[in-house]
Amino acid sequence: MKIITANSFYKAWLNIIKKNIVDVYSCWNSRKDYTNLIIKKDDSLITQVSKELDLICYNADFYSIDSVLYRKEDWLSGYGGVFLRHLVVAFEHENDFFSGLFQETTHLLITQADLKVLVSYPPQELDEFTNKHIKDELNNLYQIILGSPYANEISEKENFLLILGKDDITDLKTDNWQEDGYWKGLVFKLDGWKALTI
C-alpha cells in the first residue's frame, strides 16, 4: 500500500494546478467559481489530485471536512450512504487567509487521517513570510498544533501540510507559475514550519 506523504501530495497538487492553469485563471476573480473548481465540481482539482495519488475523493463535505481522500477498500458498501473506515487525506480549503484558519486547523487536528492538508492564500508575497500579519497567523497555527497532544507524532510523521498560494496572480505566467513562488508547501515540525522543496 502506497503511503501518501506531504511531499507526494504537494507534488500532485502542483502538477494538477499546472494542468488546469487556464481554468485557475478564468475562475480566480470569483471566489465561488474558484472554490467550485478546487473542491465542488465532479472533476474538481482535489478529485484530480486524488486520481494522481491512486485514491478516491469524496468532495461533498464529509462530516464538515471539505474533501476526503480514501482507498476503495475503506468504503463500507451496503449502508445507504458514504461511510468510511479510514481516511488517507483530510483536505480543507480556505480562500481567505484571515477568516479563521484556526477553525480549519483545529478541525483537522481532531480528524483521524494519515495526512491533513490545509490550503489558503495570504494576501502578500510569500518569500520568507516578511509580512508581519502573515507571520503572526502562521505562528498562531503553529501554536495550535504544538499544543495538541499529538504534536510530537505530527512532527515526526510530517503529516500536517499547509499549502499557501499567492492571493494575487495578475502577473502569473503559465510557463513559470511554479518557479516564481506562487505556491509554498509547509509541514509542521516541533521547531517551526518546514518548507518543502520539490
Side-chain angles (χ1 to χ4, degrees), residues 84-142:
L84 304 171
R85 69 179 111 226
H86 179 76
L87 302 179
V88 178
V89 178
F91 179 85
E92 293 282 9
H93 180 264
E94 178 54 61
N95 282 320
D96 187 348
F97 188 72
F98 294 113
S99 79
L101 287 184
F102 72 93
Q103 294 169 331
E104 308 287 8
T105 300
T106 57
H107 194 195
L108 288 171
L109 283 175
I110 63 170
T111 301
Q112 190 169 357
D114 294 342
L115 179 65
K116 303 154 195 300
V117 179
L118 174 57
V119 176
S120 193
Y121 307 87
Q124 301 293 327
E125 292 292 329
L126 294 177
D127 297 337
E128 304 305 317
F129 306 107
T130 53
N131 182 292
K132 180 182 180 334
H133 296 297
I134 293 171
K135 288 173 81 172
D136 288 348
E137 184 67 18
L138 288 173
N139 186 53
N140 289 340
L141 300 180
Y142 165 77

Side-chain angles (χ1 to χ4, degrees), residues 48-62:
Q48 293 178 49
V49 168
S50 73
K51 290 175 185 172
E52 186 155 317
L53 296 172
D54 294 322
L55 297 171
I56 301 166
C57 179
Y58 183 78
N59 62 349
D61 289 328
F62 187 77

Side-chain angles (χ1 to χ4, degrees), residues 22-106:
V22 172
D23 290 336
V24 169
Y25 266 122
S26 67
C27 295
W28 190 261
N29 290 323
S30 167
R31 292 303 191 205
K32 180 180 180 185
D33 291 343
Y34 186 69
T35 297
N36 287 338
L37 175 67
I38 298 292
I39 58 176
K40 298 292 182 191
K41 290 173 48 178
D42 288 341
D43 195 31
S44 65
L45 299 188
I46 189 61
T47 299
Q48 293 178 49
V49 168
S50 73
K51 290 175 185 172
E52 186 155 317
L53 296 172
D54 294 322
L55 297 171
I56 301 166
C57 179
Y58 183 78
N59 62 349
D61 289 328
F62 187 77
Y63 293 94
S64 298
I65 301 168
D66 287 340
S67 300
V68 295
L69 282 54
Y70 63 96
R71 293 184 176 87
K72 182 179 180 180
E73 61 268 21
D74 292 321
W75 180 65
L76 300 177
S77 61
Y79 289 92
V82 177
F83 295 98
L84 304 171
R85 69 179 111 226
H86 179 76
L87 302 179
V88 178
V89 178
F91 179 85
E92 293 282 9
H93 180 264
E94 178 54 61
N95 282 320
D96 187 348
F97 188 72
F98 294 113
S99 79
L101 287 184
F102 72 93
Q103 294 169 331
E104 308 287 8
T105 300
T106 57

Side-chain angles (χ1 to χ4, degrees), residues 163-194:
I163 298 175
L164 301 177
K166 282 187 180 179
D167 189 40
D168 181 9
I169 64 166
T170 54
D171 63 341
L172 179 63
K173 305 286 189 289
T174 56
D175 57 345
N176 68 354
W177 66 276
Q178 188 174 345
E179 294 79 12
D180 284 351
Y182 280 88
W183 297 97
K184 187 174 285 279
L186 304 168
V187 292
F188 173 84
K189 297 296 282 183
L190 289 177
D191 58 353
W193 291 105
K194 172 185 155 186

Side-chain angles (χ1 to χ4, degrees), residues 11-30:
K11 184 177 181 181
W13 175 264
L14 294 177
N15 288 340
I16 295 302
I17 292 288
K18 185 174 186 176
K19 288 178 186 175
N20 291 274
I21 196 67
V22 172
D23 290 336
V24 169
Y25 266 122
S26 67
C27 295
W28 190 261
N29 290 323
S30 167

